[in-house]
Amino acid sequence: MTQLMQGNRRRAIVTGFVEYGPLTAGTSPSPLAEEGDVAVVSAYFSLDTGRVDVPRLKDVKATNDRQRADYVEGMTNLHHPRLSGLGRNPAASEGVLVRLAAHKAGRHGMSRRRGPVTDAVVEALLEHDDGDVMTTLRAEQISPAMRRRIATHPNPAIRDARADFVHHLVEFGTTVVLRDLEEVYGQPLASLAAAPDPKLRAAVAGSWYDRPAPVQAAFLADPDPRVRAAATYHKQPGVPPEWRDRCLADPAVRKNVARYIPLTWDQFIELMRTGDEDIQRAVAANPHLTADMAAQLLEVDDPLVRIAAAQSRHVDDATRERLYALLEARRVDGDIDAEVALSWNFTEPDWMREAPLDERLSYLDSPHTVFRRVLAGSRDLPEEAWRRLDNDPELSVRRTAARRRNAPPDVLERLVRAHGDVFHHRPLLVEHPNFPRHTLRTLVDEPTPNVRYVALQDPELPVPALQELAAAEEPFLRRGVARHPNITDALLDRLLSDPDPNVADDAAANQALRPARMHRILTEADL
């Protein structure tokens, strides 16, 4: 489940599900996004302007203005896109990579590679790199000899690059890959959990989700509030019953645990009486609330509490409609919190997923999309219910219903042909076992660009179709062609010179690119 986390009253950090629509005026969604698409978004939501600003990966990772000006989408070099693309081409030979290591754009592309890196390539990187690629190389990618070579390198920017990167993540309280913690600090997780540095303990607590109960108990008793907060942020591994009172009394973790532990009536009342907006919202999202507790939420004049109350299983239809009407009236008056509550799916009636079939079916005619969408996520509905959900007026409901195991081929094709697919949600609808994949190439003739894009999911798409899509005005269609496995040499060569740097980058990264063309790219760059 998602949640709203406010850093301050005027600017909130939002992580949640958003349906592309009016609220996304401040975002830069994918060209494939359309109203009704649901995406996971991390964004800054301005309570002053009502705009949502989604930071790109490059803005998070860039260390200076120069990098921000040179790269887009975290990997494509604006000035040398063919070099950055070639750096991540899985078919690039050792000789190509050694030559490429002499150029910053090439090294940046190489930092995105996965799999083993040969000693000769590592040596070339050590000769030219300033530590950027060393930050991304994992121990398992390079030989023991090269690991020793890096560990004794005279340049600290290279010698300590990987460790400094992980230390930076720990310092700023960011989730860290567990194997990175063990590799950099040279100790098993159980030892790191008791490290003297509280920031390191907090990093372990926030990243080790399946830690044993004794480790969790030690975290809950930790003297540093950052560790206790990290240990309780996620619902798992949980808070043992004997720790609940203590956690609810702890300001560092109270808001966290109020979201998910079963509450007694007295605990519920005490939390609500704090008057703290964040705590009340956390309580409202708690799935264990009783009918009496849900009734108390009705008195809280906060849209995010009110939407949670409206989605409670303990609320009758008349009360639910009244709550939604109140929220809609506030949205019409320009209330930003009401807009967020109604337009961003921070909460869903998760209790429906475990409810008896008859109870779930009672929401088939709900006027509120979220109830029908959760219902569509069922797997045991009668045929008549599926027929109605397949024809629901809301696209997100139809897409959810189409993900059932026995979705009819005609339903899947009709949905994709009308609206395309959702590429951030895997598996794709066109990957459904019942989807008639022989129809994919016919999507090239559809008028809507994001529907035409789906045709590229056919790995044997004929060359004439690829040529047609490569001439499209939309860069994302040309990018799809540049990545396609059936692309010809002539088409690749054309896209390598595309005015959009992302298209050229993708063309250079296509493993169908011939070695001779790779070397010509390097020669043209004086490498």
Side-chain angles (χ1 to χ4, degrees):
M1 204 71 274
T2 56
Q3 61 183 312
L4 176 70
M5 301 173 290
Q6 283 189 257
N8 56 61
R9 189 68 186 93
R10 304 317 313 165
R11 201 165 187 238
I13 299 177
V14 175
T15 301
F17 293 100
V18 56
E19 289 194 12
Y20 289 122
L23 190 61
T24 58
T27 69
S28 300
S30 162
L32 303 179
E34 60 177 300
E35 187 166 350
D37 282 359
V38 180
V40 179
V41 175
S42 292
Y44 291 106
F45 180 78
S46 169
L47 298 177
D48 291 313
T49 66
R51 291 173 62 86
V52 182
D53 300 313
V54 182
R56 292 185 179 275
L57 180 62
K58 71 176 182 65
D59 293 323
V60 176
K61 290 188 174 179
T63 57
N64 53 53
D65 291 337
R66 172 78 180 221
Q67 277 186 292
R68 280 192 288 271
D70 286 348
Y71 293 93
V72 292
E73 299 195 8
M75 66 178 71
T76 300
N77 187 284
L78 286 173
H79 309 296
H80 305 281
R82 295 191 295 183
L83 297 183
S84 58
L86 193 55
R88 58 189 181 89
N89 191 316
S93 67
E94 179 182 274
V96 167
L97 295 177
V98 167
R99 292 178 66 185
L100 198 58
H103 198 287
K104 187 173 180 65
R107 295 195 299 274
H108 188 78
M110 293 168 68
S111 71
R112 314 293 294 184
R113 297 182 68 85
R114 297 293 178 263
V117 181
T118 66
D119 288 4
V121 174
V122 176
E123 285 285 5
L125 290 171
L126 290 175
E127 179 182 353
H128 300 288
D129 190 34
D130 55 7
D132 288 348
V133 180
M134 295 299 118
T135 296
T136 63
L137 282 180
R138 298 184 181 278
E140 63 269 20
Q141 289 183 274
I142 56 181
S143 70
M146 285 297 104
R147 289 201 294 271
R148 291 191 295 270
R149 175 96 161 75
I150 293 170
T152 58
H153 199 279
N155 184 352
I158 291 177
R159 183 179 65 240
D160 302 327
R162 181 73 180 168
D164 286 348
F165 176 69
V166 174
H167 291 152
H168 176 84
L169 296 179
V170 170
E171 179 71 20
F172 284 90
T174 306
T175 300
V176 188
V177 177
L178 296 180
R179 61 182 177 182
D180 289 347
L181 287 172
E182 292 182 312
E183 174 189 328
V184 168
Y185 288 93
Q187 298 181 50
L189 290 174
S191 298
L192 295 177
D197 182 0
K199 290 182 179 179
L200 179 53
R201 298 198 303 274
V204 176
S207 307
W208 189 9
Y209 302 131
D210 58 348
R211 53 189 176 269
V215 175
Q216 174 69 344
F219 284 149
L220 295 176
D222 197 280
D224 194 288
R226 292 168 294 186
V227 179
R228 302 196 301 275
T232 54
Y233 184 76
H234 298 285
K235 184 168 65 174
Q236 298 299 333
V239 176
E242 64 270 20
W243 280 91
R244 290 173 185 169
D245 284 332
R246 180 170 173 176
C247 287
L248 288 172
D250 183 354
V253 305
R254 181 184 297 131
K255 181 178 68 174
N256 289 346
V257 300
R259 286 186 286 111
Y260 55 79
I261 67 171
L263 300 172
T264 66
W265 175 257
D266 289 341
Q267 290 168 340
F268 170 83
I269 291 297
E270 184 175 351
L271 290 169
M272 297 303 293
R273 282 177 178 169
T274 63
D276 185 293
E277 184 180 74
D278 289 337
I279 290 178
Q280 290 180 340
R281 290 175 177 179
V283 172
N286 192 307
H288 303 293
L289 299 186
T290 64
D292 289 340
M293 294 174 185
Q296 291 292 315
L297 296 180
L298 305 181
E299 307 303 320
V300 181
D301 186 22
D302 179 337
L304 293 178
V305 173
R306 189 156 280 169
I307 194 69
Q311 293 175 5
S312 169
R313 76 183 307 167
H314 302 300
V315 172
D316 59 49
D317 290 343
T319 302
R320 179 173 291 116
E321 296 311 309
R322 179 175 65 84
L323 293 172
Y324 269 101
L326 290 171
L327 286 167
E328 182 59 34
R330 288 184 61 164
R331 175 163 69 175
V332 170
D333 287 340
D335 188 297
I336 296 300
D337 285 341
E339 180 75 52
V340 170
L342 289 171
S343 301
W344 290 58
N345 304 312
F346 294 112
T347 62
E348 287 186 336
D350 285 332
W351 55 268
M352 283 182 60
R353 306 182 202 281
E354 306 297 330
L357 178 60
D358 289 346
E359 185 177 2
R360 279 180 281 137
L361 286 173
S362 69
Y363 291 92
L364 187 58
D365 294 315
S366 172
H368 309 295
T369 301
V370 66
F371 288 91
R372 304 196 309 277
R373 187 170 62 242
V374 173
L375 174 64
S378 302
R379 293 295 177 263
D380 58 348
L381 303 184
E383 284 305 312
E384 174 59 20
W386 287 127
R387 185 190 66 78
R388 291 171 62 181
L389 291 169
D390 286 336
N391 292 279
D392 193 276
E394 289 292 333
L395 176 58
S396 63
V397 175
R398 301 199 301 275
R399 279 179 166 157
T400 301
R403 293 188 176 279
R404 66 189 185 274
R405 185 179 60 182
N406 60 344
D410 62 307
V411 168
L412 292 162
E413 182 186 354
R414 183 175 71 242
L415 192 56
V416 171
R417 192 173 292 278
H419 304 286
D421 214 330
V422 184
F423 285 83
H424 55 260
H425 192 167
R426 301 288 174 158
L428 301 176
L429 290 178
V430 297
E431 294 171 337
H432 193 291
N434 293 347
F435 186 87
R437 291 189 62 85
H438 65 278
T439 66
L440 280 173
R441 59 190 59 187
T442 68
L443 300 178
V444 173
D445 301 321
E446 294 295 329
T448 309
N450 66 327
V451 176
R452 300 178 75 201
Y453 183 85
V454 182
L456 292 162
Q457 293 300 305
D458 181 353
E460 299 177 351
L461 192 65
V463 171
L466 290 172
Q467 291 172 329
E468 181 179 343
L469 294 175
E473 179 182 350
E474 296 82 8
F476 73 89
L477 283 174
R478 303 199 303 275
R479 290 189 71 181
V481 176
R483 293 190 293 261
H484 201 274
N486 205 34
I487 194 168
T488 63
D489 292 347
L491 203 48
L492 257 183
D493 204 54
R494 171 177 151 193
L495 294 176
L496 282 168
S497 300
D498 194 277
D500 187 296
N502 288 313
V503 178
D505 178 280
D506 282 331
N510 193 319
Q511 58 186 342
L513 190 66
R514 296 186 185 275
R517 187 64 179 97
M518 294 184 188
H519 283 285
R520 185 146 60 92
I521 291 173
L522 296 173
T523 300
E524 291 168 354
D526 294 326
L527 295 176

